[in-house]
């Protein structure tokens, strides 16, 4: 990545500030100095105040999906109902059905494993073992 000589610019930013932490999430664009190519992506930085300075505690970045079909607007209730599709897949005890709920480039930071799953086979593998516990989820608090 660095060989492409990237230069980033924030296009959209949403900042939240807490006590000894801050979050910045939005859209940025990189121009590759070596090629002139441009890449837009979503980002999230969570910073913590540690040892007298601000440090990155969490960083996420993913490319924006260009040229895909845009979904119809979705309501907050419809977003909340999406959990039930995932929870229903859990109830089948079929790891493929659960893994199929994740996007092609989905990332799973699992509950009972410290290994991030960054591809379909990894996500399916996690649920192969997790479903042996016969889990069912319940949302206790939701902020959409």
């Amino acid at each position: 990545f660095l060989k492409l000589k990237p230069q980033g610019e924030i296009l959209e930013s949403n900042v939240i500030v807490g006590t000894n932490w801050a979050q910045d999430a939005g859209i940025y664009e990189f121009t590759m100095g070596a090629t002139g190519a441009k890449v837009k992506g979503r980002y999230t930085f969570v910073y913590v105040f540690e040892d007298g300075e601000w440090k990155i505690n969490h960083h996420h970045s993913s490319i924006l999906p260009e040229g895909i079909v845009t979904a119809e607007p979705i309501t907050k209730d419809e977003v909340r109902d999406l959990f039930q599709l995932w929870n229903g897949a859990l109830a089948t005890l079929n790891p493929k059905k659960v893994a199929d709920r994740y996007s092609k480039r989905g990332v799973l930071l699992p509950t009972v494993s410290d290994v991030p799953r960054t591809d379909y086979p990894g996500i399916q593998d996690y649920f192969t073992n997790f479903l042996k516990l016969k889990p069912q989820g319940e949302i206790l608090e939701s902020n959409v």
Side-chain angles (χ1 to χ4, degrees), residues 51-128:
D51 299 327
E53 63 182 321
W54 289 98
K55 301 231 178 167
I56 298 168
N57 188 58
H58 169 85
H59 174 210
H60 154 264
S61 183
S62 60
I63 193 167
L64 282 175
E66 299 293 334
I68 63 170
V69 176
T70 304
E72 293 294 319
I74 188 169
T75 67
K76 289 183 177 185
D77 286 337
E78 289 171 325
V79 171
R80 287 184 189 98
D81 289 343
L82 292 174
F83 171 79
Q84 295 307 326
L85 295 174
W86 178 80
N87 206 32
L90 286 179
T92 69
L93 302 178
N94 181 332
K96 181 181 182 329
K97 286 194 182 282
V98 180
D100 285 347
R101 298 299 319 148
Y102 290 79
S103 74
K104 294 174 189 169
R105 294 185 180 164
V107 173
L108 169 64
L109 303 175
T111 305
V112 296
S113 170
D114 60 358
V115 178
R117 310 305 166 116
T118 59
D119 58 16
Y120 183 90
I123 292 170
Q124 186 173 356
D125 176 67
Y126 170 76
F127 284 107
T128 297

